[in-house]
Amino acid sequence: MLVILEATAGPLAGRKIEVRAGTIVRIGRTPKSDYALGEDSYLSSQHFAVECDGIQCRIRDLGSSNGTFVNGERVSEIVVREGDSVMAGGSTFAIHIEAASASAAAPASATAPVPTATFPGGFQRPEAPGPMITGEVRLEWPGFSRPQSSLLSALFKDDLHVYAVVDASRDSRIPAFLDASGESYASLDPDMKVPAFMVHLPRESRLLDVLIKDGWSHGWGFYCATSSAFDELCAHWRNYLTLHTEDGRKLTFRFWDPRVMRALVPMMSAQEGADFFGPVGRLLVEAGKPEIGLEITLTPRGSRQRNVVLV
């Protein structure tokens, strides 16, 4: 029996971990684990174990900070099967189970060579950020692909503060990511009934790794740039959490959904646009295709959109 964990999303995408019958492999961020994955800064030092007894495969959480999830459910210990999805840290793994003869690869164990990598841990601040050119790629974003670097360059093209508004219902890991990031964040709903959060994103934030690599094109939310402080912007967006119909009914306005923003903001009048933007200088939201971003700014005549080609 051979169990293969294939990383399908996150900073480890493409990595495969093999576990043979009769072995236990502890996976985490540091060499304290049997299999160290330093690229994923959201993993605990020892995050979860994969136990294979030749008949079944079991996933066991090792007291991790952010939890281990199987098929979207947080688990302490569970038997997994072919095709199951395991989420840990900022990575997602697909489970593949094969007969022992299907592979001649050496087992991953405590005595096997331990592959390690050190995540850069931060980004170099450009000395003089200039205006964005569609498709421009800067080189200050190690660990990101060219399209992802284009997106980051578009976000941080000036000295404004960058914030994200994200919907935790889109991915069960989002609250854990926010909590572990160390960044300033707050719920837009004081009653916590609506799972929308605003988070501040410095250029060096490790949260960018998850938001850009996992969240982009999956409807997690949108980004905005402003000179305003955290509390002022949070209060502004909270004003739009609930709308009232003509007959007095309350409705949740899911303005953070990229589909809603793409449809409604261009239809706003000049005054409605000015009210909605408030202290915000510009918005950046995913378009219908992952290789296109949509930057929205405000003019005296209303909102203006332009595509940002991520190449």
Side-chain angles (χ1 to χ4, degrees), residues 215-236:
W216 185 257
S217 81
H218 289 88
W220 280 19
F222 72 95
Y223 300 90
C224 58
T226 176
S227 59
S228 297
F230 183 95
D231 290 343
E232 180 184 357
L233 184 63
C234 191
H236 170 72

Side-chain angles (χ1 to χ4, degrees), residues 15-85:
R15 183 78 64 85
K16 293 183 179 180
I17 304 171
E18 297 184 355
V19 184
R20 291 183 178 273
T23 63
I24 300 175
V25 177
R26 290 170 289 272
I27 297 171
R29 190 185 71 256
T30 70
K32 293 181 180 179
S33 303
D34 301 324
Y35 203 104
L37 300 169
E39 301 97 321
D40 190 339
S41 58
Y42 286 97
L43 286 172
S44 295
S45 58
Q46 294 187 81
H47 199 107
F48 69 98
V50 186
E51 305 177 7
C52 180
D53 61 9
I55 299 175
Q56 60 185 16
C57 176
R58 187 178 299 272
I59 297 290
R60 178 164 52 90
D61 184 74
L62 298 177
S64 64
S65 299
N66 297 331
T68 302
F69 299 79
V70 175
N71 298 329
E73 298 292 330
R74 187 165 186 165
V75 301
S76 57
E77 186 172 336
I78 192 173
V79 173
V80 291
R81 297 174 174 81
E82 171 69 30
D84 282 350
S85 174

Side-chain angles (χ1 to χ4, degrees), residues 12 40 210 214:
L12 306 172
D40 190 339
V210 174
D214 283 15

Side-chain angles (χ1 to χ4, degrees), residues 110-124:
T111 58
V114 179
T116 62
T118 301
F119 186 69
F123 309 112
Q124 302 173 4

Side-chain angles (χ1 to χ4, degrees), residues 11 39 119 143-144 205-214:
E39 301 97 321
F119 186 69
F144 291 90
S205 176
R206 63 176 183 167
L207 189 58
L208 289 169
D209 194 77
V210 174
L211 294 178
I212 300 300
K213 293 181 179 180
D214 283 15

